[in-house]
Amino acid sequence: MTKHIFVTGGVVSGLGKGLSGSSLGRLLKARGLRVTMQKLDPYLNVDPGTMNPFEHGEVFVTDDGGETDLDLGHYERFIDENLTTDSNATTGSIYSSVIAAERRGDYLGKTVQVIPHITNEIKRRINRLVSDDVDVIITEVGGTVGDIEILPFLEAIRQFRLDVGRNNVCYVHVTLVPFIGPSGEQKTKPTQHSVTELRSRGIQPDAIVCRSDEPISSDLRRKISNLCDVPVEGVVNAADARSLYEIPLVLHNEGLDDYVCEMLGLGDHEVDLAPWQALVKRVEEASSVVRIGLIGKYVSLPDAYLSVVESLNHAGIHHGADIEIEWIQAEEVEGLLAAGRLKDLDGIVIPGGFGERGVEGKIAAAGYAREHDIPCLGLCLGMQVMTIEYARNALGLAGANSTEFDSRSPHPVIDLMESQRDVTDMGGTMRLGAYVAQLKPGSRVAKAYGEEVVSERHRHRYEFNPKYRTRFEASDLQLSGESPDGRLVEFIELDHHSFWIATQAHPEFKSRPDRPAPLFREFIDAALGRAEGRNPQLPSIDADAPATADS
Ligand code: GLN
């Protein structure tokens, strides 16, 4: 019988429910249990694909092409399982299904209502993940208890326990225990209120995860236990951790996994946390620092680049290095170059993005990296701007551009693919999900991956324009990875450079804490080389040379 853990959040948003759930998932996996996870999101978008990253952070892409909530990235990185579109359901997608069924006549004669039709659909979504191959499903309910939009979800998960039996469901509530400066105390009242709210919806939490900046005392723990009617072992404290990856160890020390397993009758499995402990030790023992400039458009909201940042961290963990990210607003690049401010970077990442704003700044950064031998990694839009830069400045194709930014460019080196020309529906219509690429034998990309056929996830409309293929091929820029039919360019790399490599894909979605994405791993290696002044066979960089916008 598959067991269910439901994670809800109280008091404020942004408490790290997703991380708490993922960490619990990791702990259950460390006992040999088979775990999967899903997120229920109370907003009306059918999926987050149409949302601006400023609204909702990064859109995480699954192998099967789902555009999903960024928490799925945490899930995949912590439980080390590939999830699917089915692991994320929004209010919008749930209503769409119910309304489509109503139009088909599936409920003919009936009044279609939130209860039972919407709640049944929510339960159907939860049940989609049940299989003989899964012992535990962890379902996170997005939003905060008390939100209007969350009510159908709470009602559905309340009913769920009755449907599948009390011993098969565990409710974990994540709350905040704030420290109030003037009284010098940590306060339990917000937790009490949010548990009261949850109970008013018929859900009595089995465990409470108390987030706090400093550890809470045992008195406070007893108080929460008493007032919220949760056994004291079920009140666990997740005080701010030094690193994200420490959270599973914190929750394990607090006994959350023991408690949940006992409750759900999951048996007495041995816990093997040694690999995870070794990982956390590596994070703590990092002995060098690399400074990476991330040139983006949404840099005021780092969550917009969550998987990129995590992939950099994974590569840092691999090399024993701390990654220091310089968040660089793409529109400011030209000014920063003129002030000589990019020359101290050890590496530059140009991540994905949409729309024209900031593109010229990214192109300038790509050019600076190319000419000054600064390791540069381009991801999706990053590959497109590196292609444009090279076309303009190395191949002499004046005005080269992507038709996304200049539909009348004389040299559209990046263009819409045929299948995208007539698309009017903006939801789920890009090249999405996992695609296989064939790498050029002997290329640096092939060496990085250690194989010649690789699969990475995609999310874009525009592609390298094959009409320009021969001009690039005659230069130093290699088209080092292509789709198996040879029509689409998937990877490019520059000869005679410490690292100037880009991909049309988003390898950041497949990076794992103990298995960094190969391109990130090699990029950080090259950046470390620059930091330590050991880049092989390359002309040294004249650090004192006047830095100008075009230097
Ligand atoms: N805007 C570009 C495209 O649609 C790149 C997208 C991205 O970086 N994810 O092709």
Side-chain angles (χ1 to χ4, degrees):
M1 173 82 201
T2 305
K3 305 285 180 173
H4 292 266
I5 298 172
F6 292 103
V7 182
T8 53
V11 186
V12 289
S13 59
L15 278 182
K17 270 193 316 281
L19 282 169
S20 303
S22 310
S23 298
L24 180 55
R26 162 49 49 186
L27 294 174
L28 299 179
K29 274 209 80 175
R31 292 168 179 255
L33 294 165
R34 297 162 305 169
V35 180
T36 193
M37 298 190 66
Q38 68 182 324
K39 175 108 191 254
L40 305 175
D41 272 312
Y43 50 76
L44 280 171
N45 302 61
V46 171
D47 61 45
T50 52
M51 266 189 260
N52 184 316
F54 279 128
E55 294 280 326
H56 202 67
E58 156 189 291
V59 174
F60 186 80
V61 180
T62 53
D63 267 344
D64 66 342
E67 296 178 276
T68 71
D69 186 81
L70 54 74
D71 271 317
L72 270 79
H74 287 313
Y75 304 166
E76 286 203 353
R77 290 186 282 270
F78 275 72
I79 65 172
D80 197 6
E81 298 285 343
N82 285 337
L83 302 176
T84 68
T85 314
D86 282 355
S87 302
N88 195 190
T90 69
T91 295
S93 72
I94 289 159
Y95 270 78
S96 295
S97 310
V98 171
I99 292 169
E102 188 275 332
R103 293 288 85 183
R104 277 197 310 268
D106 293 5
Y107 314 115
L108 220 51
K110 292 270 185 288
T111 309
V112 181
Q113 293 179 297
V114 173
I115 302 171
H117 301 98
I118 296 295
T119 45
N120 282 349
E121 178 62 17
I122 297 173
K123 291 194 285 183
R124 193 186 68 79
R125 301 294 179 102
I126 297 168
N127 271 319
R128 280 194 303 204
L129 297 189
V130 173
S131 89
D132 290 342
D133 301 328
V134 178
D135 299 313
V136 185
I137 299 174
I138 302 179
T139 302
E140 177 189 351
V141 181
T144 306
V145 168
D147 294 345
I148 291 173
E149 299 90 342
I150 208 176
L151 293 178
F153 292 101
L154 296 184
E155 173 59 14
I157 66 169
R158 182 196 70 74
Q159 292 178 10
F160 203 86
R161 182 178 234 177
L162 204 64
D163 294 352
V164 300
R166 300 199 87 72
N167 300 334
N168 298 319
V169 172
C170 172
Y171 298 113
V172 177
H173 191 51
V174 183
T175 73
L176 177 69
V177 177
F179 177 81
I180 305 296
S183 61
E185 278 179 308
Q186 288 174 314
K187 295 292 191 184
T188 64
K189 195 69 82 189
T191 298
Q192 293 177 46
H193 278 303
S194 96
V195 170
T196 302
E197 176 69 30
L198 197 56
R199 282 161 146 183
S200 77
R201 303 294 158 199
I203 297 172
Q204 164 64 41
D206 299 300
I208 300 180
V209 176
C210 304
R211 292 278 293 106
S212 59
D213 40 15
E214 293 295 326
I216 64 173
S217 67
S218 46
D219 278 353
L220 218 66
R221 196 185 295 257
R222 270 194 296 277
K223 187 171 170 188
I224 294 171
S225 155
N226 189 18
L227 295 169
C228 300
D229 203 12
V230 169
V232 75
E233 314 80 67
V235 180
V236 304
N237 182 204
D240 286 351
R242 277 167 299 184
S243 91
L244 210 84
Y245 296 111
E246 207 189 331
I247 302 171
L249 303 182
V250 171
L251 294 179
H252 179 66
N253 290 340
E254 289 281 309
L256 180 65
D257 48 328
D258 278 341
Y259 176 81
V260 167
C261 286
E262 165 96 39
M263 239 208 89
L264 292 173
L266 278 168
D268 214 3
H269 298 273
E270 191 94 352
V271 194
D272 179 14
L273 276 175
W276 202 265
Q277 279 156 342
L279 181 91
V280 173
K281 195 153 172 267
R282 284 189 75 81
V283 176
E284 281 163 5
E285 287 177 353
S287 56
S288 42
V289 176
V290 257
R291 290 185 63 215
I292 303 299
L294 193 148
I295 319 278
K297 184 169 147 184
Y298 317 105
V299 292
S300 54
L301 184 78
D303 264 3
Y305 301 106
L306 189 59
S307 294
V308 174
V309 172
E310 285 314 308
S311 304
L312 291 170
N313 287 333
H314 301 162
I317 296 172
H318 177 89
H319 291 291
D322 241 339
I323 308 291
E324 210 177 275
I325 295 185
E326 291 280 320
W327 296 95
I328 298 170
Q329 182 61 253
E331 287 147 298
E332 289 168 11
V333 166
E334 280 131 320
L336 292 172
L337 284 176
R341 296 266 300 282
L342 298 197
K343 68 176 194 293
D344 296 332
L345 294 173
D346 301 320
I348 289 178
V349 179
I350 309 180
F354 293 83
E356 194 186 349
R357 183 169 71 79
V359 162
E360 288 301 322
K362 291 178 185 174
I363 293 172
Y368 185 78
R370 184 171 62 81
E371 288 177 354
H372 290 77
D373 195 42
I374 299 177
C376 182
L377 173 63
L379 308 166
C380 204
L381 177 65
M383 180 182 114
Q384 299 176 356
V385 302
M386 285 162 75
T387 304
I388 296 166
E389 190 283 319
Y390 194 80
R392 285 184 192 172
N393 302 323
L395 301 183
L397 302 175
N401 215 328
S402 162
T403 50
E404 181 180 6
F405 316 124
D406 177 6
S407 56
R408 308 224 310 250
S409 164
H411 294 294
V413 290
I414 305 293
D415 199 5
L416 266 190
M417 46 188 158
E418 208 58 55
S419 59
Q420 290 287 341
R421 290 195 201 278
D422 303 319
V423 168
T424 48
D425 184 342
M426 295 314 268
T429 51
M430 287 184 256
R431 173 144 85 108
L432 283 168
Y435 283 84
V436 165
Q438 179 74 49
L439 307 183
K440 209 167 172 182
S443 64
R444 292 182 59 183
V445 172
K447 282 191 195 125
Y449 277 90
E451 47 199 352
E452 284 167 17
V453 179
V454 300
S455 167
E456 294 288 5
R457 300 179 191 172
H458 288 248
R459 181 172 183 255
H460 55 100
R461 289 202 162 80
Y462 293 80
E463 302 280 351
F464 182 98
N465 186 345
K467 290 190 192 119
Y468 288 87
R469 181 183 274 274
T470 44
R471 298 205 215 188
F472 279 89
E473 277 170 344
S475 76
D476 267 0
L477 191 140
Q478 289 197 44
L479 309 179
S480 49
E482 302 175 342
S483 57
D485 63 6
R487 286 175 53 210
L488 303 170
V489 173
E490 303 280 37
F491 292 86
I492 60 170
E493 65 185 60
L494 197 60
D495 296 335
H496 315 298
H497 194 286
S498 58
F499 189 106
W500 203 81
I501 299 180
T503 170
Q504 190 54 72
H506 287 280
E508 67 271 25
F509 294 136
K510 285 180 64 176
S511 186
R512 299 280 160 88
D514 54 350
R515 277 197 317 286
L519 287 191
F520 281 85
R521 190 192 65 225
E522 294 309 304
F523 168 65
I524 292 301
D525 188 48
L528 266 168
R530 179 173 164 87
E532 293 163 4
R534 65 164 166 83
N535 273 353
Q537 93 256 335
L538 293 160
S540 64
I541 297 141
D542 180 1
D544 296 327
T548 62
D550 58 355
S551 69

